[in-house]
């Protein structure tokens, strides 16, 4: 187990930091059931625990830990609790870090199709409204297209900046006829860290500006995390987390 980037508040009983690297003792791998078992011993107790006994069951494609538990014991061998995978302990395979936007998707609230940005290749970039709320309508009452391509897409790798235009002139959306995008990505391409969307009306007048990181928050879509969340949903697991989604459509739909 790596504690290399553990919070400074994580301390062993004697006040020392956890080691950067803590080996599993007695590791056993059972490929037929995709099950790993092992123990971690803390001669210097950690949070009152002297021993952790792990059972990890991996998903079919090994993208996340789908079952098992960590059983915890004090120095007298008495149980101090059980943390179950993937209810209390949620682990995914570390995805390959992107080095460009192409081949990636960026989402708000973790949801594909909720005005998600798809960058397939330099000439194939679009917004997906496949899972947009039914209340999102064009000004003539029609449903939004499932795919809305960016016009004039441009990528500047040196500044990690994408620019493009969404044209609603043939059928306005919320009174807007044109959106002009400047999207700046973080150094690790994990999120959209800057830029803005400038919205123009049918007369070509600037109506309003929405800024990334303030009004619009987009993060890289991580397939492994989506698979884990789908697994939790399909199993009916109660993680105790209530996901709230803003109803302010004007902040969503771009």
């Amino acid at each position: 187990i790596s504690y290399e980037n553990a919070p400074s508040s994580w301390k062993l009983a004697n006040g020392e930091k956890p080691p950067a690297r803590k080996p599993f003792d007695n590791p056993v791998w059972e490929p037929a059931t995709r099950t790993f078992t092992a123990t971690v011993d803390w001669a210097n107790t950690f949070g009152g625990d002297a021993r952790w006994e792990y059972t990890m069951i991996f998903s079919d494609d090994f993208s996340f830990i789908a079952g098992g538990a960590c059983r915890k014991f004090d120095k007298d061998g008495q149980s101090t609790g059980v943390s179950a995978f993937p209810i209390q302990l949620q682990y995914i395979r570390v995805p390959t870090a992107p080095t460009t936007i192409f081949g990636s998707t960026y989402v708000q609230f973790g949801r594909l199709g909720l005005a998600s940005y798809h960058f397939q290749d330099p000439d194939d970039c679009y917004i997906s409204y496949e899972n947009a709320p039914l209340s999102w309508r064009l000004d003539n009452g029609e449903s939004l297209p499932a795919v809305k391509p960016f016009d004039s897409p441009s990528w500047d790798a040196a500044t990690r900046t994408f620019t493009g235009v969404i044209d609603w002139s043939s059928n306005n959306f919320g009174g807007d006829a044109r959106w002009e995008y400047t999207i700046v990505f973080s150094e690790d391409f994990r999120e959209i860290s800057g830029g803005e969307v400038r919205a123009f009306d049918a007369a070509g007048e600037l109506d309003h500006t929405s800024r990334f990181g303030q009004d619009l928050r987009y993060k890289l879509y991580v397939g492994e995390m989506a698979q884990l969340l789908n697994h939790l949903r399909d199993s009916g697991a109660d993680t105790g987390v209530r996901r709230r989604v803003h109803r302010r459509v004007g902040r969503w739909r771009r």
Side-chain angles (χ1 to χ4, degrees):
I1 302 175
S2 172
Y3 291 102
E4 188 172 357
N5 294 309
S8 59
S9 59
W10 290 16
K11 301 288 187 181
L12 301 178
N14 67 354
E16 295 179 356
K17 296 189 298 183
R21 180 185 175 101
K22 182 68 173 176
F24 282 108
D25 295 325
N26 305 311
V28 176
W29 170 243
E30 175 51 63
T33 60
R34 304 183 307 280
T35 301
F36 174 84
T37 58
T39 60
V40 170
D41 286 314
W42 297 103
N44 187 0
T45 59
F46 190 10
D49 297 333
R51 180 181 177 88
W52 296 339
E53 296 183 354
Y54 282 89
T55 300
M56 305 180 193
I57 303 171
F58 291 80
S59 62
D60 291 349
D61 62 358
F62 296 95
S63 62
F64 62 93
I65 299 178
C70 174
R71 292 171 172 80
K72 298 171 285 186
F73 301 88
D74 63 19
K75 61 183 180 180
D76 296 322
Q78 299 298 308
S79 174
T80 61
V82 177
S83 296
F85 296 100
I87 308 302
Q88 289 88 16
L89 302 173
Q90 298 180 354
Y91 281 78
I92 63 171
R93 179 178 57 206
V94 176
T96 301
T99 57
T100 179
I101 62 171
F102 299 114
S104 296
T105 299
Y106 291 79
V107 298
Q108 48 186 349
F109 306 108
R111 295 174 61 182
L112 287 172
L114 188 70
S116 50
Y117 302 158
H118 299 251
F119 303 97
Q120 303 298 94
D121 60 52
D123 295 319
D124 184 11
C125 305
Y126 62 89
I127 301 177
S128 171
Y129 291 104
E130 189 172 1
N131 293 310
L134 294 177
S135 60
W136 291 14
R137 298 282 177 176
L138 299 175
D139 287 2
N140 69 352
E142 292 180 0
S143 299
L144 292 170
V147 171
K148 184 68 174 176
F150 280 104
D151 295 330
S152 306
S154 178
W155 170 243
D156 185 334
T159 61
R160 304 183 308 281
T161 301
F162 172 88
T163 57
V165 173
I166 293 292
D167 188 352
W168 300 107
S169 59
S170 63
N171 193 353
N172 290 183
F173 185 19
D176 297 338
R178 178 183 176 90
W179 295 340
E180 296 184 355
Y181 282 80
T182 300
I183 304 176
V184 182
F185 294 83
S186 61
E187 290 185 7
D188 60 3
F189 292 97
R190 297 294 186 188
E191 64 182 348
I192 295 175
S193 58
E196 62 186 20
V197 185
R198 302 171 71 214
F200 297 83
D201 62 22
E205 297 294 327
L206 178 63
D207 184 72
H208 55 276
T209 300
S210 299
R211 292 177 173 80
F212 289 102
Q214 298 177 24
D215 311 303
L216 303 170
R217 299 181 184 277
Y218 278 77
K219 293 185 178 296
L220 177 69
Y221 179 75
V222 179
E224 288 85 354
M225 180 57 74
Q227 288 176 270
L228 172 57
L229 294 176
N230 287 338
H231 173 79
L232 289 168
R233 180 198 64 200
D234 294 342
S235 66
D238 181 6
T239 64
V241 177
R242 300 276 198 279
R243 291 177 176 81
R244 296 179 299 169
V245 179
H246 294 283
R247 298 301 172 185
R248 296 177 63 182
V249 172
R251 295 182 63 180
W252 275 22
R253 61 192 180 192
R254 296 176 182 82

